[in-house]
């Protein structure tokens, strides 16, 4: 969440910064709630002081043998008024918090203004798209021909936007995840971490999925009746990885914390329809290798560049053409202050499609999670910065490999770096 002090003292400036991303801050409502909160808080403090003073006087009057019934009655009345004031104060604080939890992060100054993906800025390109001597097939045709992609059986099991993988295609999918993990651990210094894919509401609030995006999540209840507790299937391993430091003060010597996890991800809202409904572009269940870094604030921008390069290296080692896009203010995610998207070339669409998104969230998530570090210069706890990125989405990477490495007969060449994970297999035949 945003700094509450800024919302109180610099709300006009905050509103202007948020307007860059198309968000209209309800300044009047927040100011009205804050004005009432301050008033009620002053009143309750005055009542508390008055009750304390009168309570002391009761003892003094009793020592003198004087009647204290009137004073005691007055104290009782103050107690009732104080209780009512405290209840109102709690309600006002809850109202203010409910608003602040739905306010997105402020974009970094380096982020270009814009309304949607059309205004994103291309930063670089790597690799040249392959010139095919035949009309390239899409991953669905290739996967079906190889007997490795089965949406029909998945639909019988779970409904639309699920896929069953078999044989060499399933193995290629696993090989990609293993390759990514090994690369990020052995060369990029991330610590492999296995995390739960069921988390509680606090974890979802900590990284910004709740309350704003509850309709996009799969949820379940554990237990029955009053003892039942709600759990959410993670939309990304960012949620459990980042929350490993919630309600924690991290020692400076531990920073940066770099973690990587391969996990299943679940999204109830899997995007728009059209051609993306076909195949594995947008699934309710998918697999992703996720990178998360917990950083001291001064180094978070450098960590953002480092993380993005780690994701780019995956695509470069696989020989997949891609481009890096700096997202504009209108296309950034809720918690991000700056985001790079990596888009991989898909021959069947003659277009670049997102395969990784790397974001610096600043202290936005840290405030929600109460995640801090102890600054050795001051000895005081301060908010950490959190970063997350796909390193990369395994299913989309599978699609890119299948399409970019296809041959005219429908066979698929296996990239050299993946062959050790495929028991030396160099071609997937139909």
């Amino acid at each position: 969440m945003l700094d509450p002090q800024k919302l109180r003292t610099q709300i006009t400036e905050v509103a202007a910064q948020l307007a860059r991303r198309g968000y209209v801050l309800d300044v009047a409502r927040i100011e009205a709630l804050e004005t009432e909160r301050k008033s009620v808080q002053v009143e309750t403090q005055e009542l508390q002081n008055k009750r304390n003073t009168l309570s002391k006087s009761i003892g003094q009057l009793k020592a003198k043998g004087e009647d204290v019934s009137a004073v005691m009655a007055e104290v009782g009345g103050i107690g009732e008024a104080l209780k009512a004031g405290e209840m109102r104060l709690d309600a006002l604080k809850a109202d203010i918090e409910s608003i602040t939890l739905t306010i997105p992060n402020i974009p970094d100054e380096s982020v270009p203004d814009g309304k949607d993906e059309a205004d994103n800025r291309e930063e670089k390109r790597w690799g040249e798209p392959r010139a095919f001597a035949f009309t390239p097939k899409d991953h669905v045709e290739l996967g079906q021909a190889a007997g490795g992609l089965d949406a029909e059986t998945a639909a019988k099991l779970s409904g639309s936007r699920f896929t069953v993988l078999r044989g060499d295609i399933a193995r290629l999918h696993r090989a990609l995840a293993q390759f990514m993990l090994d690369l990020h651990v052995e060369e990029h210094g991330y610590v492999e971490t296995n995390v739960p894919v069921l988390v509680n509401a606090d974890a979802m609030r900590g990284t910004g999925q709740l309350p704003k995006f509850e309709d996009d999540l799969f949820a379940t209840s554990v237990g029955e009746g009053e003892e039942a507790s709600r759990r959410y299937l993670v939309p990304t391993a960012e949620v459990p990885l980042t929350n490993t430091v919630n309600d924690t003060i991290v020692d400076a010597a531990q920073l940066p914390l770099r973690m990587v996890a391969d996990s299943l991800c679940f999204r109830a809202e899997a995007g728009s329809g059209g051609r993306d409904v076909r195949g594995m572009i947008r699934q309710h269940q998918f697999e992703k290798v996720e990178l998360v870094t917990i950083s001291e604030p001064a180094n978070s921008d450098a960590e953002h560049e480092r993380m993005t390069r780690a994701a780019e290296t995956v695509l470069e080692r696989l020989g997949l053409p891609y481009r890096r896009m700096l997202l504009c203010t209108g296309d950034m995610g809720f918690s991000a202050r700056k985001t790079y998207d990596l888009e991989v070339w898909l021959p069947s669409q003659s277009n670049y499609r997102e395969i990784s998104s790397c974001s610096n969230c600043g202290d936005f998530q840290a405030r929600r999670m109460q995640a801090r570090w102890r600054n050795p210069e001051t000895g005081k706890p301060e908010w950490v910065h959190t970063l997350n990125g796909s390193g990369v989405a395994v299913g989309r990477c599978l699609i890119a490999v299948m399409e970019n490495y296809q041959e005219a007969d429908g066979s698929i060449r296996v990239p050299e770096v993946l062959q050790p994970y495929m028991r030396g297999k160099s071609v997937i035949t139909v």
Side-chain angles (χ1 to χ4, degrees), residues 172-289:
L172 183 61
H173 185 272
R174 174 160 58 92
L176 283 164
Q178 290 179 300
F179 160 68
M180 294 175 203
L181 284 173
D182 286 347
L183 177 65
H184 294 315
V185 170
E186 295 168 9
E187 297 189 29
H188 300 149
Y190 288 85
V191 175
E192 185 171 351
T193 311
N194 191 293
V195 288
V197 296
L198 267 178
V199 298
N200 58 33
D202 286 343
M204 285 292 195
R205 273 191 292 270
T207 46
Q209 279 74 27
L210 289 178
K212 186 173 178 60
F213 302 106
E214 180 146 17
D215 291 344
D216 295 342
L217 305 172
F218 284 106
T220 185
S221 292
V222 180
E224 298 180 355
E226 294 182 359
E227 300 299 320
S229 58
R230 196 163 175 81
R231 295 287 187 274
Y232 294 87
L233 288 163
V234 299
T236 163
E238 168 203 345
V239 178
L241 286 174
T242 308
N243 274 279
T244 57
V245 296
N246 70 7
D247 200 24
T248 299
I249 300 176
V250 183
D251 189 86
Q254 295 179 269
L255 299 177
L257 289 172
R258 301 186 183 115
M259 298 169 277
V260 59
D262 170 36
S263 83
L264 290 173
C265 307
F266 304 87
R267 295 185 184 177
E269 173 48 58
S272 60
R275 63 185 175 184
D276 286 352
V277 173
R278 175 178 165 84
M280 294 177 61
I281 293 286
R282 293 192 184 276
Q283 299 269 277
H284 289 310
Q285 174 187 310
F286 56 98
E287 194 170 325
K288 185 151 64 82
V289 171

Side-chain angles (χ1 to χ4, degrees), residues 353-364:
R353 297 301 303 272
E354 180 198 339
I355 194 169
S356 172
S357 190
C358 299
S359 298
N360 185 350
C361 298
D363 61 11
F364 186 83

Side-chain angles (χ1 to χ4, degrees), residues 109-153:
E109 291 181 358
S110 63
V111 174
D113 289 339
K115 293 182 178 180
D116 53 36
E117 63 180 14
D119 296 317
N120 295 340
R121 188 170 73 208
E122 183 175 322
E123 299 279 291
K124 64 178 282 191
R125 288 194 184 200
W126 184 92
E128 286 293 328
R130 175 183 168 190
F132 289 86
F134 56 92
T135 301
K137 300 178 177 69
D138 70 5
H139 71 284
V140 178
E141 294 177 89
L142 292 165
Q144 289 174 342
L149 194 153
D150 184 355
E152 185 176 338
T153 299

